[in-house]
Amino acid sequence: MFNDRDLGILGGGALLAVLCLFLPLSFVGRLVVGFVVLVLFMALALLRLGPDRVPPEVWLSRRFRYARQSRKYVNQQAATRTTENPQTQKKERSSPSFDPLTFFLPVDLAWDEVGVYPLLTVLLGVVGVYFADWLAHGGAAELSIWFK
């Protein structure tokens, strides 16, 4: 039904977001840091990379394996006679440059695979914990002023 990897990442992100309540910051600072952590972990749970849309750890292991394997190089020389115009050949032989966008593309978010309900469950759970912490540290007094 659910992917254990995605639920583990979402649970870890929720735990880290709740643990951000112990940071020595103001409540607003803890709130911002906690929700940034939660959003990053949600994006990591949804992220799929490569042409076959695999999770980031599979994609990185493939890239690492490919980088470490030996390659077969061929010492091929250019042809001595050309039948094409030399002006067009120079344009075609331009050296390829590194483009950081094509390094990670295609990037996809696995909404169908993970689903919205686990994301909303984690989000509402973290919001509930933050609300309870706010109530315990003076929020109840602020609310009582409004309901007098």
Side-chain angles (χ1 to χ4, degrees), residues 51-115:
D52 52 350
R53 307 293 195 269
V54 293
E57 61 271 7
V58 175
W59 183 79
L60 281 173
S61 69
R62 287 180 183 176
R63 300 286 295 183
F64 182 71
R65 237 186 352 225
Y66 176 74
R68 294 208 51 216
Q69 77 182 15
S70 60
R71 290 177 185 72
K72 181 179 175 182
Y73 291 102
V74 177
N75 187 11
Q76 187 174 5
Q77 297 177 0
T80 55
R81 279 183 41 186
T82 59
T83 57
E84 297 178 14
N85 187 1
Q87 299 283 339
T88 59
Q89 271 187 340
K90 288 181 183 177
K91 290 179 185 175
E92 291 174 4
R93 279 196 245 158
S94 63
S95 63
S97 62
F98 176 73
D99 187 14
L101 290 177
T102 58
F103 182 73
F104 289 107
L105 288 180
V107 175
D108 191 26
L109 296 177
W111 290 106
D112 298 333
E113 192 176 325
V114 177

Side-chain angles (χ1 to χ4, degrees), residues 8 10-12 20 25 35 40 42 59 68 76 79-80 105 113 116-117 127 133 142-143 147:
L10 288 174
C20 285
L25 300 171
F35 280 100
L40 288 176
M42 285 181 172
W59 183 79
R68 294 208 51 216
Q76 187 174 5
T80 55
L105 288 180
E113 192 176 325
V116 176
Y117 293 114
V127 167
D133 183 64
E142 291 180 30
L143 283 178
F147 291 115

